[in-house]
Amino acid sequence: MAERPKAYGLTAEAQQKIQDKYKVADEQETREWIEAILGEPLVEGAAPDQPLGHDAYAEALRDGTILCKLMNKLSPGAVKKINSSKMAFKMMENTENFLKAMSDYGVSKHDQFQVVDLYEAQNVWQVVCTLHALGRKAQQRGFSGPQLGVKESSANKRQFTDDQLRDGQNVIGLQMGTNQGANASGVAFGARRHIMPGDHH
């Protein structure tokens, strides 16, 4: 991974806040889920019960191949071409293809990381969160393989009769307050002008 210059000031503070959010237990859950679906380790020879940690986890996913394979297991053919080249733009293209396939699968863009979050390890926590969102969506879509997290809830649409809708229009919500007893007494705009008889200035 390319070395980034050391951050100072506000950039360092922002990076520290991101680091503080990072939870290795959540990282480990995503790792175990990916390995169970793919039937291969994220990192060859790494102890399966020990979290990889921020840097090794990011490096394992960085080229995007594992993410693309995962997406194709959840939704066969979702990623048409997986680049095996280690050229930077090819690795980033894999990640972009994975993100597009996730959008097509139904994962909200708000739940997705940005390519640089992973490629430059700027926000690996967001990568972990994205994989949890993908796990929830997979359950909602009925994926029968290994599960990650709780199932995403479905829409609960309600039907109202015309009478119920009409009755609702006559209700003033309490957060709007009340207009009873309101009037304009005591309201004055600007200073009053006093006109005195015989004053001709």
Side-chain angles (χ1 to χ4, degrees):
M1 194 176 303
E3 287 296 314
R4 295 180 60 81
K6 186 175 178 187
Y8 294 94
L10 291 175
T11 305
E13 274 184 49
Q15 286 179 349
Q16 188 58 50
K17 283 183 180 178
I18 290 169
Q19 290 289 352
D20 290 346
K21 288 181 188 176
Y22 198 83
K23 296 180 181 79
V24 290
D26 289 346
E27 169 214 296
Q28 181 66 6
E29 285 177 5
T30 62
R31 175 193 174 191
E32 290 171 357
W33 180 62
I34 293 168
E35 290 178 342
I37 290 174
L38 297 182
E40 62 183 77
L42 243 61
V43 176
E44 201 65 50
D49 57 339
Q50 294 295 313
L52 296 172
H54 180 278
D55 294 342
Y57 180 81
E59 190 59 36
L61 299 177
R62 184 172 184 243
D63 67 7
T65 56
I66 287 172
L67 296 174
C68 290
K69 288 180 189 176
L70 171 67
M71 200 64 237
N72 281 339
K73 288 284 189 180
L74 298 174
S75 179
V79 179
K80 306 284 185 255
K81 181 181 178 219
I82 302 174
N83 298 305
S84 57
S85 168
K86 294 299 180 190
M87 294 176 69
F89 75 96
K90 290 292 187 184
M91 293 192 287
M92 288 190 273
E93 186 178 276
N94 281 342
T95 304
E96 287 169 0
N97 291 338
F98 165 72
L99 294 171
K100 183 186 179 318
M102 266 202 333
S103 292
D104 294 344
Y105 194 64
V107 177
S108 165
K109 290 233 183 240
H110 298 292
D111 289 329
Q112 296 180 24
F113 64 89
Q114 301 293 312
V115 173
V116 294
D117 292 339
L118 175 59
Y119 188 76
E120 297 182 6
Q122 288 185 6
N123 191 350
V124 181
W125 174 241
Q126 188 59 46
V127 176
V128 171
C129 293
T130 296
L131 290 168
H132 275 273
L134 179 59
R136 291 191 303 272
K137 183 57 73 177
Q139 285 186 63
Q140 186 192 45
R141 291 179 60 110
F143 178 67
S144 60
Q147 306 293 306
L148 174 66
V150 294
K151 184 178 176 183
E152 194 172 81
S153 62
S154 303
N156 184 6
K157 294 192 175 173
R158 290 158 174 85
Q159 298 295 323
F160 296 100
T161 65
D162 289 339
D163 289 340
Q164 288 172 319
L165 292 171
R166 249 191 319 277
D167 289 345
Q169 291 174 348
N170 298 326
V171 175
I172 296 177
L174 291 177
Q175 66 203 101
M176 293 181 201
T178 180
N179 64 356
Q180 292 186 350
N183 63 40
S185 67
V187 176
F189 295 97
R192 289 189 177 153
R193 184 172 175 203
H194 298 284
I195 301 176
M196 303 293 286
D199 190 6
H200 301 290
H201 287 90

